[in-house]
């Protein structure tokens, strides 16, 4: 009996919090939130549920920690240096979040929950701090800081969420071919609308088919920044 206990004991000793979080992120990337179960996690790590609870707490706590880990890594990749303009810094942060949610589709829902339910947590505070510093550097008056930063953050999160599978309910567009097929079908449906009843939708149908998500996202950032700089 003693010889059987030693290997299990060694596994518990070498298991780290970081290993659990990294494995959880992998399960989330592969199967969304439904793919992250304690059983799947313990099977992947060859450990017991007690070790998971000891290191990271409940499943909800693990989801929050996974979100914090991915967002912290994304913000760390966005340059934070003095020579760049405030507009450049905001675009860097926005693109880092865009890329993070594109890579981790489950993140969109968790990020929205963090912003609304835990505004004092590290995710919300980290994003607002990075964006807010640049809002101040743009010369926006202090009484308008909250409105300006909130507008930017809400646009960023709303736009990136459109490019992700939210809550596992909306099928993701996985490949360029699937995206082209989807946009083509949408454009065709809009073109078929009566131009007398829907002149705007009819006019933009071709733009819908040809647009690039990343370029559209950056164009939206530029529009919001134009409005914010007008506050000066």
């Amino acid at each position: 009996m003693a010889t059987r206990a030693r290997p299990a004991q060694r596994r518990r000793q070498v298991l780290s919090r970081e290993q659990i979080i990294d494995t959880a992120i992998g399960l989330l990337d592969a199967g969304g939130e439904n793919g992250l179960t304690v059983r799947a996690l313990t099977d992947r790590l060859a450990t017991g549920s007690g070790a998971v609870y000891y290191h990271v707490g409940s499943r909800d706590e693990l989801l929050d920690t996974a979100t914090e880990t991915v967002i912290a890594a994304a913000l760390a990749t966005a340059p934070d240096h003095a020579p760049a303009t405030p507009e450049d810094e905001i675009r860097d942060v926005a693109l880092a979040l865009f890329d993070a949610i594109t890579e981790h589709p489950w993140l969109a829902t968790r990020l929205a929950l963090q912003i609304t339910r835990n505004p004092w947590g590290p995710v919300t505070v980290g994003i607002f701090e990075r964006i807010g510093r640049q809002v101040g550097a743009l010369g926006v008056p202090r009484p308008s800081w909250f409105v300006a930063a909130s507008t930017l953050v809400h646009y960023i999160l709303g736009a990136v969420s459109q490019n992700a599978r939210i809550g596992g309910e909306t099928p993701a567009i996985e490949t360029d071919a699937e995206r082209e097929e989807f946009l083509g079908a949408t454009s065709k449906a809009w073109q078929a609308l009566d131009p007398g009843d829907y002149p705007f939708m009819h006019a933009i149908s071709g733009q819908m088919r040809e647009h690039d998500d990343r370029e559209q996202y950056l164009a939206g950032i530029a529009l919001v920044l134009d409005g914010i700089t007008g506050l000066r």
Side-chain angles (χ1 to χ4, degrees), residues 13-62:
Q13 288 173 345
V14 299
L15 183 65
S16 69
R17 187 171 187 270
E18 289 72 24
Q19 285 177 291
I20 296 173
I21 295 168
D22 288 345
T23 302
I25 291 171
L27 290 171
L28 287 164
D29 289 345
E33 288 195 28
N34 291 334
L36 178 60
T37 65
V38 174
R39 180 170 183 174
L41 194 58
T42 55
D43 286 349
R44 185 72 62 89
L45 292 167
T47 189
S49 59
V52 173
Y53 293 129
Y54 173 78
H55 283 289
V56 296
S58 67
R59 181 178 179 275
D60 284 341
E61 289 173 314
L62 178 56

Side-chain angles (χ1 to χ4, degrees), residues 18 20 24 28 34 70 98 102-103 112 118 124 158 165 177 191:
E18 289 72 24
I20 296 173
L28 287 164
N34 291 334
V70 173
F98 182 95
T102 299
E103 184 178 355
N118 192 16
T124 306
R165 179 178 55 200
Q191 282 181 323

Side-chain angles (χ1 to χ4, degrees), residues 1-225:
M1 295 295 292
T3 56
R4 291 184 179 178
R6 278 197 291 269
Q9 184 178 11
R10 281 199 295 272
R11 283 197 296 270
R12 286 196 295 270
Q13 288 173 345
V14 299
L15 183 65
S16 69
R17 187 171 187 270
E18 289 72 24
Q19 285 177 291
I20 296 173
I21 295 168
D22 288 345
T23 302
I25 291 171
L27 290 171
L28 287 164
D29 289 345
E33 288 195 28
N34 291 334
L36 178 60
T37 65
V38 174
R39 180 170 183 174
L41 194 58
T42 55
D43 286 349
R44 185 72 62 89
L45 292 167
T47 189
S49 59
V52 173
Y53 293 129
Y54 173 78
H55 283 289
V56 296
S58 67
R59 181 178 179 275
D60 284 341
E61 289 173 314
L62 178 56
L63 282 166
D64 287 343
T65 302
T67 302
E68 293 167 13
T69 300
V70 173
I71 292 300
L75 293 179
T77 64
D80 187 12
H81 46 75
T85 66
E87 291 90 345
D88 288 338
E89 295 285 356
I90 289 170
R91 279 190 289 268
D92 286 338
V93 173
L95 282 175
L97 294 173
F98 182 95
D99 292 340
I101 293 181
T102 299
E103 184 178 355
H104 309 282
W106 56 271
L107 187 61
T109 300
R110 301 308 306 182
L111 189 52
L113 289 173
Q114 286 279 330
I115 296 291
T116 56
R117 296 182 183 178
N118 192 16
W120 51 82
V123 170
T124 306
V125 170
I127 293 173
F128 266 87
E129 182 66 26
R130 284 297 294 273
I131 295 293
R133 289 183 193 178
Q134 306 312 320
V135 166
L138 284 170
V140 174
R142 183 182 290 265
S144 299
W145 282 5
F146 176 73
V147 171
S150 295
T151 300
L152 270 168
V153 171
H154 290 158
Y155 169 77
I156 289 168
L157 298 184
V160 296
S161 293
Q162 293 181 25
N163 294 282
R165 179 178 55 200
I166 300 177
E169 297 175 359
T170 304
I173 299 175
E174 301 288 354
T175 66
D176 290 340
E178 289 174 344
R179 179 182 182 278
E180 184 176 349
E181 181 181 357
F182 173 78
L183 295 180
T186 303
S187 175
K188 186 177 180 179
W190 288 3
Q191 282 181 323
L193 294 171
D194 187 332
D197 293 333
Y198 302 97
F200 176 78
M201 300 300 293
H202 197 270
I204 66 168
S205 59
Q207 297 173 25
M208 167 64 178
R209 182 181 61 252
E210 298 168 1
H211 86 278
D212 179 88
D213 291 335
R214 196 180 182 89
E215 291 180 2
Q216 182 187 48
Y217 177 66
L218 288 175
I221 295 289
L223 287 171
V224 177
L225 284 173

